[in-house]
Amino acid sequence: MADDLVHVMAVIGAGPAGLFATRALVVAGCRVLLLNRDIKPGGLAEYGIFLDKYKMKGGLRRQFQKILGDPRVTYIGHVNVGSEGALTVADLQRVGFDALVFAHGAQGTKYLGVEGERLPGVYHAKDLVYHYNRLPPFSEREFPIGRRVAIVGVGNVMVDIANYCAHYCDCEEIIAIARRGPFEKAYDDKEFEDVEDAFDREAHRQEIERVRPRLEAVGQNADDLHKALAEEEEPRERARARLRFRFLASPKRVVAENGRVIGLEVEENRLERKGDRINAVGTGQISFIPCDTVVFAVGDRVEERFGLPYKDGLYVTAPEAAQDAGAAYQVWDPQTQQPITGVYVVGWARRASDGVVGRARLDAETGIKRVLAGLASTPKHSSAEAERVISALLDKLARDGTAFVTYPEVLRIEEEERRHATEAGVEEHKFKSDQDMLAHLGR
Ligand SMILES: Cc1cc2nc3c(=O)[nH]c(=O)nc-3n(C[C@H](O)[C@H](O)[C@H](O)COP(=O)(O)OP(=O)(O)OC[C@H]3O[C@@H](n4cnc5c(N)ncnc54)[C@H](O)[C@@H]3O)c2cc1C
């Protein structure tokens, strides 16, 4: 029967982008195989959104459950796709999917080239965030946090890290380091409310005065900052840790003694106005910030060695995307100067570290419109053929001994986690390792 005909698709990555892409494909009548590196779905919605945002995480989980419960979706977790994974991009291209939608997020690390960036006691935010949100294998590694933590970056992820250091660690001082000034902060005030009890207002006033001449040099009014500070209500309860900002500073070197971090050397910056933009320009003057832990919260990049054409932290999409917005979703082969048939990117895999869940969802939904337009002249398959394509891939995984996990198995894991949480009287419990989850499934 003609209405049984479907396109069969693979979505790689079950974070918000992959899940909302899956929903959009299913709504359009496609059959979808959703492959995910982690055993459990959700990506950073499960393993990134801050620990105590239970309501937000619960709401998202309910939406994801609906998508994953659809009979037209087959979820397979614990399958690493990529050049060193259980399945390569070429494996997926060979099997017979009508399109591949890559939604595997921004898993590469953005190194700034700062000396000492890989020392013990120096972390990249994503790894630490994965650790405290209990994503294996990061949940199994130690991430000791000292008394004085320098966080490089002033976005919402910095706020989350400061929140973790102030409320979940034995930390006394947290210093958020900004390349530019207080007017260029990137975090949202609403997010900052979570660390108001640690925010050291007096230190902030002093810091504004320290950088006043450099703000005034570009026409910024330091008095506006003091006024805004005076209008804020002081929190009644104070955290033990003190959070302060260090503006106009670019990290140059993590300084260690006997293998232990003792501080961060920064170059003092001045500001320069270029059109609408305020840029930081190094002055050559070096300052020393004592600290015992450094966290780089400067955003991520996509995984370079994944198997898709890569340039400057992103996968390559069509150069003419400026004229045709949809082309920005299709992966482009720089050698042949042609789009790669049936290969698309959405969410943080397309634009690394770009915005909140709502934005990843919009990106996925916009991308799927492009995917569907690209399929207009591709013949559909019978349901039986579509099932054969999916089975062929699962058979390959089984033959190769990949311990993949199905959605009914994820539900069993989640049920056990809920049972643990109830027993312990806590909001949430997560298995610490993949082995523990697999053992619960009797593997
Ligand atoms: C610290 C932090 C806090 C945040 N807090 C909030 C918040 O409070 N509210 C909000 O709205 N947004 C928040 N965000 C942003 C939000 O998490 C992102 O917008 C969103 O998760 C991006 O979705 P994504 O699906 O593109 O990527 P991800 O969420 O990263 O999902 C990627 C998925 O791909 C899978 N994957 C990765 N590599 C592979 C591979 N090789 N093979 C197969 N699968 C793979 C992963 O298992 C994962 O499931 C936060 C982000 C961070 C970093």
Side-chain angles (χ1 to χ4, degrees):
M1 246 160 54
D3 57 356
D4 273 336
L5 297 180
V6 291
H7 281 126
V8 56
M9 321 285 286
V11 175
I12 297 87
L19 283 155
F20 288 118
T22 296
R23 183 168 76 182
L25 287 169
V26 162
V27 166
C30 299
R31 176 75 172 89
V32 182
L33 174 66
L34 176 55
L35 295 164
N36 197 38
R37 175 197 64 192
D38 308 331
I39 288 183
K40 293 198 327 187
L44 284 163
E46 180 69 32
Y47 295 111
I49 291 180
F50 199 71
L51 293 164
D52 60 1
K53 290 187 177 172
Y54 301 116
K55 208 169 153 205
M56 178 189 287
K57 287 193 279 189
L60 285 168
R61 278 187 199 128
R62 279 191 293 280
Q63 293 188 56
F64 297 161
Q65 277 159 9
K66 240 181 165 172
I67 298 167
L68 291 160
D70 191 300
R72 291 164 293 183
V73 177
T74 298
Y75 172 85
I76 298 292
H78 205 218
V79 176
N80 195 16
V81 176
S83 51
E84 286 150 26
L87 291 171
T88 63
V89 175
D91 287 334
L92 289 167
Q93 282 174 311
R94 262 195 297 272
V95 181
F97 289 102
D98 293 311
L100 306 175
V101 179
F102 288 93
H104 57 290
Q107 308 301 333
T109 298
K110 192 197 277 181
Y111 287 102
L112 297 183
V114 171
E115 195 185 323
E117 214 171 349
R118 294 170 199 242
L119 283 167
V122 182
Y123 310 125
H124 284 266
K126 171 163 48 65
D127 301 355
L128 178 59
V129 164
Y130 279 163
H131 166 76
Y132 67 65
N133 276 296
R134 292 176 78 84
L135 172 68
F138 299 90
S139 48
E140 298 162 85
R141 280 173 36 200
E142 296 295 324
F143 283 75
I145 300 290
R147 295 284 161 93
R148 293 190 98 186
V149 181
I151 308 173
V152 178
V154 282
N156 288 334
V157 175
M158 174 281 286
V159 176
D160 277 8
I161 302 285
N163 190 353
Y164 174 68
C165 293
H167 300 120
Y168 295 80
C169 307
D170 201 14
C171 199
E172 285 165 8
E173 189 175 16
I174 304 155
I175 311 135
I177 296 173
R179 246 174 347 116
R180 298 184 291 166
F183 287 99
E184 289 78 43
K185 71 176 175 64
Y187 61 81
D188 297 322
D189 291 337
K190 182 90 191 91
E191 297 295 321
F192 198 75
E193 284 172 13
D194 293 339
V195 291
E196 283 285 357
D197 63 342
F199 183 37
D200 186 336
R201 288 174 170 69
E202 189 41 44
H204 197 59
R205 286 189 187 95
Q206 289 170 19
E207 179 64 3
I208 293 168
E209 284 312 298
R210 190 183 72 87
V211 296
R212 178 188 279 274
R214 286 181 265 173
L215 303 184
E216 288 177 350
V218 289
Q220 293 180 337
N221 188 350
D223 293 334
D224 289 347
L225 297 166
H226 285 301
K227 202 167 149 237
L229 209 56
E231 282 167 4
E232 274 176 25
E233 218 176 287
E234 293 248 359
R236 265 185 236 123
E237 282 185 37
R238 294 222 58 96
R240 187 167 85 98
R242 296 300 218 180
L243 166 64
R244 65 186 176 88
F245 285 85
R246 174 71 185 233
F247 294 112
L248 292 160
S250 291
K252 287 289 155 203
R253 183 163 82 101
V254 181
V255 186
E257 247 175 37
N258 304 320
R260 292 173 71 108
V261 173
I262 58 160
L264 184 66
E265 271 181 13
V266 295
E267 179 175 7
E268 296 289 335
N269 294 329
R270 62 182 172 80
L271 293 174
E272 196 174 81
R273 192 179 281 279
K274 259 209 175 132
D276 284 347
R277 226 192 118 71
I278 297 282
N279 292 330
V281 182
T283 63
Q285 187 196 329
I286 300 292
S287 302
F288 182 77
I289 299 173
C291 60
D292 51 24
T293 312
V294 179
V295 184
F296 286 92
V298 292
D300 296 301
R301 36 180 55 202
V302 301
E303 175 60 67
E304 182 171 358
R305 290 181 304 279
F306 185 79
L308 294 174
Y310 169 97
K311 193 169 177 243
D312 299 335
L314 297 173
Y315 298 124
V316 183
T317 51
E320 75 271 22
Q323 287 88 49
D324 169 10
Y329 291 87
Q330 188 163 8
V331 181
W332 175 265
D333 184 342
Q335 271 167 359
T336 60
Q337 289 289 302
Q338 291 295 322
I340 303 181
T341 308
V343 179
Y344 298 87
V345 277
V346 296
W348 280 23
R350 190 177 83 86
R351 288 280 171 264
S353 303
D354 185 24
V356 293
V357 167
R359 195 171 170 111
R361 172 184 165 173
L362 181 65
D363 198 70
E365 290 170 351
T366 310
I368 293 308
K369 283 190 190 136
R370 174 70 180 196
V371 174
L372 293 170
L375 285 175
S377 55
T378 307
K380 290 184 176 176
H381 311 270
S382 69
S383 298
E385 275 168 0
E387 295 312 314
R388 267 198 295 278
V389 171
I390 292 177
S391 298
L393 201 81
L394 300 190
D395 289 347
K396 173 178 166 41
L397 289 172
R399 266 197 318 277
D400 294 347
T402 308
F404 64 81
V405 172
T406 63
Y407 188 54
E409 289 176 316
V410 168
L411 291 175
R412 277 170 56 199
I413 290 169
E414 288 178 346
E415 193 186 327
E416 180 65 6
E417 288 180 336
R418 273 195 302 277
R419 198 183 63 73
H420 266 277
T422 309
E423 242 175 53
V426 293
E427 283 278 350
E428 208 171 80
H429 172 86
K430 286 180 186 169
F431 280 109
K432 194 175 181 186
S433 69
D434 285 348
Q435 287 75 10
D436 289 350
M437 284 187 254
L438 293 173
H440 177 68
L441 299 174
R443 309 274 190 89

